[in-house]
């Protein structure tokens, strides 16, 4: 008979320079309804509770889903790509899908944290694919949800997956009340499309700020000319498949003006956006 219950994994791993103890609860596939909010569609995949008795050696790694690290005790250092920053109790680190990261515990004050693996979610707070939050007013409510989640996975009563999923929704709604935090639905498709989608939504959430192409490229960790090229490729789709005006397309893709969009398009495609639209609508699309 097909096994339909979720699985609770206990593991005690020895690492050079330290000992890690953790347990990981993987929710049953297909048994938790998706959570929908105005900005995201998220599904809880797993809950992991980890603590380190000593400092340990770590390496950069990635995951196929976003991870939310809730630091529940101790101090340490978190690394995302080449950037390192300190973390401590009541901090939350959100890392997007496929973003390299690792963490190191501090001697004398070992880290303990709860990690939620979430599908279909990403932070839009920073284009680097990571956000660090110091939990303030929402800390008590979030901690209560995490404790309830830990109790659910220990007891494994009927409906455990659904309860944990609802607790995730409460946590996300609490976090979204903050003005310095934004979440969205993780885009699907190749990396180039994800880059354009992330840039577009980042601009939507930071439109009051004075953003430059250099800043966007630096935050996204790509060459700014590659970013322009990707935006032009995206504009070709919008020109072919929509009736949006050139001004609207330029604004959606983050160009500072219609003239800059037209100049960039002509430089890369050797034709104007308007002429491209006319030509492509007279024959089959690419």
């Amino acid at each position: 008979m097909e096994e339909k219950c979720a699985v609770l994994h206990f593991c005690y791993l020895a690492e050079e320079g330290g000992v890690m103890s953790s347990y990981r609860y993987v929710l049953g596939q297909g048994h938790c309804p998706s959570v929908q909010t105005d900005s995201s569609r998220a599904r809880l995949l797993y809950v992991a509770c980890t603590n380190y008795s000593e400092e340990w050696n770590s390496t950069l790694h990635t995951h196929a889903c976003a991870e939310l690290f809730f630091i529940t005790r101790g101090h340490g250092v978190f690394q995302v790509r080449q950037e390192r920053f300190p973390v401590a109790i009541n901090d939350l680190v959100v890392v997007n899908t496929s973003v390299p990261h690792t963490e190191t515990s501090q001697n004398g004050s070992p880290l303990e944290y709860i990690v939620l693996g979430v599908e279909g979610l990403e932070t839009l707070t920073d284009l680097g694919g990571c956000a660090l939050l110091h939990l303030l007013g929402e800390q008590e409510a979030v901690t209560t949800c995490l404790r309830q989640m830990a109790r659910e996975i220990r007891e494994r009563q009927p409906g455990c997956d659904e309860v944990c999923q609802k607790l995730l929704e409460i946590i996300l709604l609490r976090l979204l009340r903050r003005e310095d935090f934004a979440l969205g639905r993780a885009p699907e498709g190749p990396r180039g499309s994800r880059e354009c989608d992330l840039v577009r939504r980042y601009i939507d959430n930071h439109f009051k700020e004075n953003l430059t192409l250099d800043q966007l490229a630096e935050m996204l960790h790509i060459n700014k000319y590659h970013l322009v090229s990707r935006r032009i490729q995206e504009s070709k789709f919008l020109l072919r498949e929509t009736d949006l005006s050139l001004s609207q397309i330029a604004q959606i893709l983050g160009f500072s003006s219609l003239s800059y969009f037209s100049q960039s398009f002509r430089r890369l495609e050797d034709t104007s956006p308007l002429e491209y639209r006319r030509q492509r609508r007279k024959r089959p699309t690419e």
Side-chain angles (χ1 to χ4, degrees), residues 81-95:
R81 296 188 175 92
Q82 302 306 313
E83 180 184 1
R84 296 167 61 89
F85 49 88
V87 292
I89 184 172
N90 296 333
D91 282 349
L92 164 63
V93 182
V94 182
V95 183

Side-chain angles (χ1 to χ4, degrees), residues 12 23 53 65 72 79 97 113 147 154 223 226 235 282:
Y12 298 90
Y23 64 89
S53 60
C65 65
T72 56
Q79 180 177 350
T97 302
Y113 52 82
R147 287 174 179 168
R154 282 197 307 269
N223 184 284
H226 171 68
S235 74
K282 291 179 181 178

Side-chain angles (χ1 to χ4, degrees), residues 97-98 122 185-201 220 222 226 230-231 233-234 237:
T97 302
S98 302
E122 68 176 5
R185 182 176 181 178
E188 301 176 356
R191 173 170 169 77
S193 297
R194 294 201 301 269
E195 288 169 352
C196 288
D197 192 62
L198 185 55
V199 168
R200 191 162 56 244
R201 283 179 290 139
L220 195 57
I222 61 175
H226 171 68
R230 286 303 311 160
R231 289 196 293 179
Q233 292 301 313
E234 188 80 2
F237 171 81

Side-chain angles (χ1 to χ4, degrees), residues 241-261:
E241 307 297 334
T242 75
D243 292 322
L244 293 170
S245 68
L246 299 188
S247 296
Q248 288 173 318
I249 293 175
Q251 183 178 17
I252 288 172
L253 296 178
F255 286 94
S256 58
S257 67
L258 174 57
S259 62
Y260 179 51
F261 166 55

Side-chain angles (χ1 to χ4, degrees), residues 156-167:
R156 288 195 288 171
Q157 295 293 321
C160 169
D161 286 11
E162 288 78 8
V163 170
C164 290
Q165 180 73 24
K166 294 302 182 183
L167 289 169

